[in-house]
């Protein structure tokens, strides 16, 4: 699946997966195809769409974090669905720990199967609703980064993410179009939560030219 996209990976991500990582992406893809026959994991299963919307998009969102490949940071993917953006991040950053959180039991059950098949001991799962799990003391102030794609409005995503983050941690919100109205509501929420919008990265997806906006929210205090 990957070789024909080599130039795009290099031009747009300034990164290219090793042989081992390419194999892991391929195993992830095959595993998701199998999982889709058992439960409704994702509608994005055509190879090109999978590559662009699941792999490329997941990775494009973490590039502005400026992480070194050997980072040991902890990631929480809230509302992970079929494992995105968390799974590709775990493959690209091989020393991180990544927790995939979702409220749907069937999805988490299949992700557990996939994790053991791919022997990804650094990837864990959490079953439950973000707003409930975020109140548990074992989960609070724990993660360096939270990733949220296609889960809820930006303000609600911030409310979900902040309890889990360490002070100084960052929530990455993967969004499509971004409007001034959303920005206003998000800023009000961030004032209450103890954080701020550090930056917005706008980019165009390489195959279908879709607009993406990734928001980087910094947690500055424990509330
Ligand atoms: C549209 S899917 C997006 C999946 C994935 N992030 C992606 O972009 O492909 C939304 C997922 O979020 C989960 N979800 C929605 N609200 C949630 C909540 N409050 N807590 C945990 N998971 C939630 C749903 O079960 C679903 O799997």
């Amino acid at each position: 699946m990957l070789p024909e996209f080599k130039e795009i990976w290099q031009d747009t991500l300034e990164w290219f997966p090793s042989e081992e990582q390419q194999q892991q992406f391929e195993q992830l893809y095959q595993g998701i195809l199998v999982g889709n026959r058992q439960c409704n994991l994702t509608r994005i299963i055509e190879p090109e769409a999978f590559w662009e919307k699941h792999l490329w998009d997941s990775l494009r969102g973490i590039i502005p974090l400026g992480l070194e490949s050997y980072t040991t940071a902890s990631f929480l993917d809230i509302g992970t669905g079929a494992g995105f953006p968390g799974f590709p991040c775990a493959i690209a950053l091989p020393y991180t720990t990544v927790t995939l959180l979702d409220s749907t039991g069937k999805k988490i059950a299949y992700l557990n199967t996939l994790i053991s098949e791919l022997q990804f001991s650094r990837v864990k799962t959490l079953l439950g609703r973000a707003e409930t799990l975020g109140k548990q003391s074992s989960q609070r102030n724990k993660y360096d980064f939270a990733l949220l794609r296609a889960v809820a409005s930006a303000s609600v995503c911030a409310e979900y993410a902040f309890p889990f983050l360490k002070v100084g941690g960052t929530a990455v919100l993967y969004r499509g179009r971004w409007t001034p109205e959303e920005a206003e509501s998000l800023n009000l929420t961030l004032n209450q939560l103890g954080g701020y919008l550090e930056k917005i990265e706008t980019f165009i997806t390489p195959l279908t030219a879709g607009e993406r906006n990734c928001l980087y929210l910094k947690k500055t205090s424990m509330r």
Side-chain angles (χ1 to χ4, degrees):
M1 173 172 59
L2 289 167
E4 63 265 37
F5 297 125
K6 190 167 180 176
E7 261 176 44
I8 305 178
W9 280 91
Q10 275 163 348
D11 291 352
T12 57
L13 299 179
E14 291 173 12
W15 176 77
F16 194 72
S18 66
E19 288 287 331
E20 188 187 357
Q21 287 165 325
Q22 290 182 48
Q23 214 173 10
Q24 289 170 331
F25 285 134
E26 184 61 33
Q27 286 172 330
L28 175 64
Y29 177 54
Q30 295 302 332
I32 289 200
L33 292 184
V34 173
N36 245 8
R37 287 182 218 127
Q38 296 168 19
C39 63
N40 222 358
L41 284 174
T42 175
R43 277 178 298 167
I44 303 170
I45 50 164
E46 290 306 315
E48 290 203 351
F50 184 86
W51 179 86
E52 181 189 53
K53 298 198 165 63
H54 278 330
L55 301 187
W56 186 91
D57 189 62
S58 295
L59 298 177
R60 182 64 184 83
I62 59 164
I63 285 196
L65 297 174
L67 298 170
E68 301 289 354
S69 59
Y70 49 78
T71 177
T72 56
S74 51
F75 283 77
L76 175 68
D77 179 1
I78 299 177
T80 189
F84 301 100
F87 243 131
C89 294
I91 293 173
L93 298 169
Y95 302 103
T96 53
T97 51
V98 177
T99 303
L100 307 174
L101 182 160
D102 206 282
S103 55
T104 308
K106 272 187 179 173
K107 290 182 183 171
I108 290 294
Y110 189 73
L111 289 174
N112 284 333
T113 308
L114 202 53
I115 287 165
S116 70
E117 276 175 15
L118 301 186
Q119 299 182 329
F120 267 141
S121 54
R122 294 176 298 108
V123 183
K124 315 276 178 213
T125 58
L126 258 184
L127 171 61
R129 296 201 64 83
E131 56 273 44
T132 309
L133 291 167
K135 292 188 180 125
Q136 293 180 359
S137 55
S138 60
Q139 290 299 325
R140 291 179 70 83
N141 311 309
K142 180 174 177 181
Y143 299 91
D144 297 303
F145 299 102
L147 310 174
L148 301 98
R149 192 178 79 160
V151 179
S153 71
S155 296
V156 171
C157 284
E159 284 167 3
Y160 286 170
F162 268 50
F164 292 96
L165 287 173
K166 296 173 185 170
V167 172
T170 300
V172 183
L173 275 46
Y174 291 69
R175 320 227 27 110
R177 283 185 58 236
W178 182 240
T179 63
E181 293 76 30
E182 287 177 288
E184 196 176 322
S185 148
L186 176 64
N187 279 330
L188 286 173
T189 305
L190 287 173
N191 281 340
Q192 287 161 6
L193 291 172
Y196 67 95
L197 173 58
E198 191 177 29
K199 60 182 167 184
I200 302 180
E201 285 264 328
T202 303
F203 49 87
I204 302 297
T205 59
L207 300 182
T208 55
E211 183 182 328
R212 304 289 284 142
N213 286 281
C214 277
L215 278 57
Y216 300 83
L217 317 180
K218 199 90 175 160
K219 174 170 169 174
T220 52
S221 67
M222 232 181 280
R223 298 231 171 132

